[in-house]
Amino acid sequence: MVAPDPTRDRLDFDVLVIGSGIAGLHYALRVADHARVGLVTKMNAANSATQWAQGGIAAVIDPLDSFEDHVQDTLRAGAGLCDEEVVRFVVERGPEAIDSLLQYGVDFDRSGEAELYYDLGREGGHTKRRVLHHRDATGREIERALLQRATRHPNLELLDYHIAVDLITAHKAGRTEPNRALGAYVLDSRSGEVLRIGARITLLATGGAGKVYLYTSNPDIASGDGIAMAYRAGATIANMEFMQFHPTCLFHPDAGSFLISEAVRGEGGILRNRSGEAFMERYSEQKDLAPRDIVARAIDTELKVSGDDFVHLDITHRDAEYVRTRFPTIYERCMSFGIDMTKEPIPVVPAMHYCCGGVRTGLTGESDLTNLFATGEVANTGLHGANRLASNSLLEAMVFSEAAADETIRRLPDVDPPGELASWESGDAVESHEAVIITQNWDEIRRFMWNYVSIVRSDRRLARAEHRIKLLQEEINEYYWDFKLTPDLIELRNLATTAKLIVQAAQFRKESRGLHYNLDHPERDDEHYLHATLLQRGDEPRPSRR
Ligand code: SIN
């Protein structure tokens, strides 16, 4: 390995990790015991979607639960598109993933006499209680424990406020060898300098793409960076039509789509329309605990019929002290807007929550670009199919980061170092004094994606979105090379690419299934669409069976 040299624009590590949520940190910690790891993260390291996860992590811990039940619940939610081998792989590694988190010092809530048992939560689509949690702030607790370890690990260098611009591949570097990942160009957003970071293996753990939509429960960092970079580098992206809308985000002009965890419904919360009717009874036998696609669409229908802006989530029938203790974060946040959830129902609306599509990976977490791995929300492993089961994502991130770390450690001795890498060419780019161009395009994408490509789609809406995204991409490409890179410009370009992939995949699937609902094709069509949708640069979308 070449030692990092801060006086030049080049750094080298054995392994480069992009992203500092549960997926990036668990992988980095495992690999750093064997090799030198650089981890870049675009804001401060705790600013990740993991930090915001409320519900918890699903795993079979209770002797009355079984792997088979968890597998079947996951397959049912996934509406025919889960890869059963992957589902079993993940579910069976659940207890081991929980053990690793306990070893990091994660504190899961306990209950029962002498607090002997884990307090297992229930969420939509699960037939059993199996969600380990830390009150209603599980992600924050996990991020705390992992980051504490990561900042102390002698073999792990954390570079915060560093945003990846593009992956470096052998072909982009002009080599004739079989293509492989060689690292990434990364903007140090404090100095404005673009670094070349060379690595023998690169892991994308950049999270999701909630910011593609106007309303999202995701943090600002979720701009589809990893998906867009992998796509530009030639890796296959899959299932981008399956965007999960969480049914219950707080409706308040200043709340910024604050999530009201599904665990509230798991503990008895009931959705009601303006007339107080518990309307989920009309939509599903599982009522308020139906899978998210069903609940989000039911709310959307209720709002369209009534013309209301929100529905109510009512947990006032539960003991007030219990509600305050079980949901302290949600209680405090609602109180800050003058809503006492122990006495009055919470106004809620759906918002974009989780990207089920992503960089297509196999059982080791590797993409089809050699030495590029992807784990966590950025990846499409085959676990979620057409709809993710609640609290399966933290589990998926742990299991695949472990698998990717194992493969990385095994393979590293045989991987050649990246060699010569050209410096970033900024050419004649000048400082942009027109930030308004970026904010205008950013707002436009998020608004038309919300209006045309969210919970309910139609062929016409998708065609309109396709048209607009084309114009915007032309505009963005025009000034991308004219102006000096800023984090906003990088994110805008990634947002546009991700939006294009969502629209393309949604147009390709002329049926309704799981999270993809098209008014012009309202039925599920197993004869023609029992497959994933694959997207690769330069090609039309294509189907795949897995
Ligand atoms: C929630 O707490 O409702 C979110 C859990 C998840 O998305 O898995």
Side-chain angles (χ1 to χ4, degrees):
M1 186 202 94
V2 183
D5 178 358
T7 62
R8 298 179 311 150
D9 69 338
R10 170 130 186 202
L11 298 178
D12 277 85
F13 299 99
D14 294 320
V15 173
L16 172 65
V17 176
I18 307 176
S20 57
I22 185 172
L25 289 174
H26 179 50
Y27 172 89
L29 282 164
R30 285 274 284 101
V31 174
D33 287 341
H34 305 264
R36 192 164 157 70
V37 178
L39 187 152
V40 299
T41 182
K42 65 181 178 180
M43 298 189 77
N44 74 55
N47 199 332
S48 66
T50 300
Q51 173 84 0
W52 289 33
Q54 293 182 0
I57 175 165
V60 175
I61 297 292
D62 187 337
L64 297 178
D65 195 0
S66 70
F67 288 150
E68 195 54 33
D69 284 348
H70 191 179
V71 166
Q72 292 307 326
D73 290 349
T74 304
L75 294 175
R76 204 174 308 111
L81 292 196
C82 301
D83 180 330
E84 190 167 334
E85 186 192 0
V86 171
V87 176
R88 292 188 185 281
F89 180 82
V90 172
V91 164
E92 286 168 13
R93 283 160 180 76
E96 195 185 305
I98 299 301
D99 270 352
S100 300
L101 288 169
L102 292 171
Q103 277 166 32
Y104 286 132
V106 172
D107 176 27
F108 290 115
D109 286 0
R110 290 169 174 270
S111 64
E113 221 171 285
E115 306 230 308
L116 269 181
Y117 308 105
Y118 287 111
D119 181 49
L120 299 174
R122 174 130 190 238
E123 292 182 8
H126 289 275
T127 51
K128 296 275 169 58
R129 284 188 170 270
R130 62 169 74 98
V131 181
L132 287 107
H133 63 96
H134 179 88
R135 269 147 278 185
D136 59 355
T138 313
R140 196 163 65 211
E141 169 63 7
I142 291 175
E143 189 74 21
R144 176 200 65 73
L146 269 68
L147 254 186
Q148 200 173 62
R149 295 280 175 116
T151 48
R152 290 182 190 154
H153 201 296
N155 243 1
L156 204 175
E157 185 167 344
L158 254 170
L159 297 159
D160 58 3
Y161 295 94
H162 281 68
I163 174 166
V165 181
D166 257 322
L167 295 167
I168 309 176
T169 63
H171 287 181
K172 276 199 203 166
R175 310 214 191 125
T176 49
E177 62 180 282
N179 207 14
R180 63 179 173 121
L182 302 173
Y185 289 109
V186 173
L187 174 74
D188 174 347
S189 46
R190 288 190 274 224
S191 71
E193 189 184 12
V194 179
L195 308 173
R196 299 167 282 168
I197 302 188
R200 292 190 279 168
I201 287 181
T202 301
L203 173 83
L204 288 172
T206 46
K211 285 312 230 193
V212 173
Y213 288 91
L214 192 57
Y215 303 112
T216 175
S217 62
N218 292 182
D220 281 345
I221 48 129
S223 47
D225 301 342
I227 294 169
M229 285 191 291
Y231 177 73
R232 288 195 292 269
T236 300
I237 309 297
N239 282 2
M240 292 300 286
E241 64 272 46
F242 299 116
M243 296 288 127
Q244 186 172 73
F245 292 81
H246 196 290
T248 59
C249 284
L250 179 59
F251 178 84
H252 188 282
D254 301 324
S257 301
F258 175 74
L259 188 71
I260 307 294
S261 175
E262 196 151 304
V264 174
R265 277 175 286 134
E267 300 308 333
I270 298 168
L271 286 161
R272 298 186 188 280
N273 57 22
R274 188 171 29 174
S275 31
E277 183 206 3
F279 60 84
M280 276 313 299
E281 294 179 9
R282 278 191 277 114
Y283 293 90
S284 166
E285 275 178 13
Q286 290 163 287
K287 300 181 195 168
D288 296 277
L289 285 180
R292 281 186 192 164
D293 55 330
I294 296 171
V295 183
R297 249 190 332 271
I299 296 176
D300 193 68
T301 306
E302 290 292 312
L303 296 181
K304 291 219 163 82
V305 169
S306 65
D308 290 341
D309 288 331
F310 56 84
V311 295
H312 275 129
L313 178 58
D314 185 3
I315 192 160
T316 54
H317 49 285
R318 296 284 322 245
D319 172 66
E321 189 45 39
Y322 169 75
V323 170
R324 278 193 291 267
T325 315
R326 174 67 177 85
F327 302 112
T329 315
I330 297 172
Y331 175 78
E332 285 304 328
R333 190 65 185 262
C334 287
M335 280 305 275
S336 74
F337 296 112
I339 302 158
D340 182 346
M341 67 190 278
T342 66
K343 297 199 176 99
E344 60 195 309
I346 309 167
V348 291
V349 281
M352 163 59 185
H353 183 61
Y354 190 88
C355 179
C356 291
V359 181
R360 183 88 157 160
T361 54
L363 281 181
T364 60
E366 190 173 15
S367 73
D368 55 6
L369 174 61
T370 303
N371 296 337
L372 178 69
F373 288 72
T375 57
E377 191 173 349
V378 68
N380 175 268
T381 63
L383 175 69
H384 307 311
N387 182 24
R388 177 182 67 101
L389 187 67
S391 290
N392 264 358
S393 43
L394 293 176
L395 175 63
E396 181 193 43
M398 282 298 290
V399 169
F400 276 99
S401 289
E402 180 82 22
D406 284 347
E407 178 59 19
T408 299
I409 294 160
R410 189 194 66 75
R411 186 185 302 180
L412 259 180
D414 301 324
V415 181
D416 288 335
E420 257 321 292
L421 303 175
S423 287
W424 178 257
E425 269 301 330
S426 55
D428 300 328
V430 296
E431 303 278 350
S432 165
H433 300 296
E434 293 267 24
V436 69
I437 304 177
I438 292 174
T439 47
Q440 165 63 30
N441 285 350
W442 182 286
D443 289 348
E444 215 176 311
I445 293 176
R446 300 185 65 205
R447 193 165 288 278
F448 73 67
M449 287 300 287
W450 183 259
N451 288 332
Y452 298 153
V453 200
S454 57
I455 300 171
V456 176
R457 303 158 178 179
S458 72
D459 287 350
R460 263 178 92 177
R461 290 178 195 175
L462 292 174
R464 286 199 178 120
E466 181 193 16
H467 179 63
R468 277 171 173 72
I469 199 73
K470 198 162 171 280
L471 295 177
L472 277 169
Q473 280 201 301
E474 278 166 19
E475 208 170 288
I476 294 165
N477 284 341
E478 253 170 47
Y479 61 70
Y480 189 77
W481 301 106
D482 292 345
F483 294 136
K484 285 222 164 102
L485 280 182
T486 63
D488 283 351
L489 184 52
I490 294 169
E491 287 185 342
L492 173 65
R493 181 181 180 229
N494 292 337
L495 222 55
T497 304
T498 308
K500 182 187 89 168
L501 296 174
I502 297 171
V503 172
Q504 271 190 337
Q507 286 182 313
F508 187 66
R509 184 172 292 282
K510 299 211 181 308
E511 63 153 359
S512 290
R513 176 191 299 273
L515 298 163
H516 172 69
Y517 186 80
N518 185 328
L519 287 169
D520 296 310
H521 313 280
E523 304 300 329
R524 175 168 155 169
D525 176 357
D526 279 354
E527 196 187 330
H528 299 104
Y529 291 100
L530 204 54
H531 59 67
T533 305
L534 304 184
L535 301 155
Q536 205 166 13
R537 195 174 188 182
D539 274 346
E540 292 299 311
R542 60 180 203 278
S544 157
R545 259 168 218 284
R546 63 184 298 178

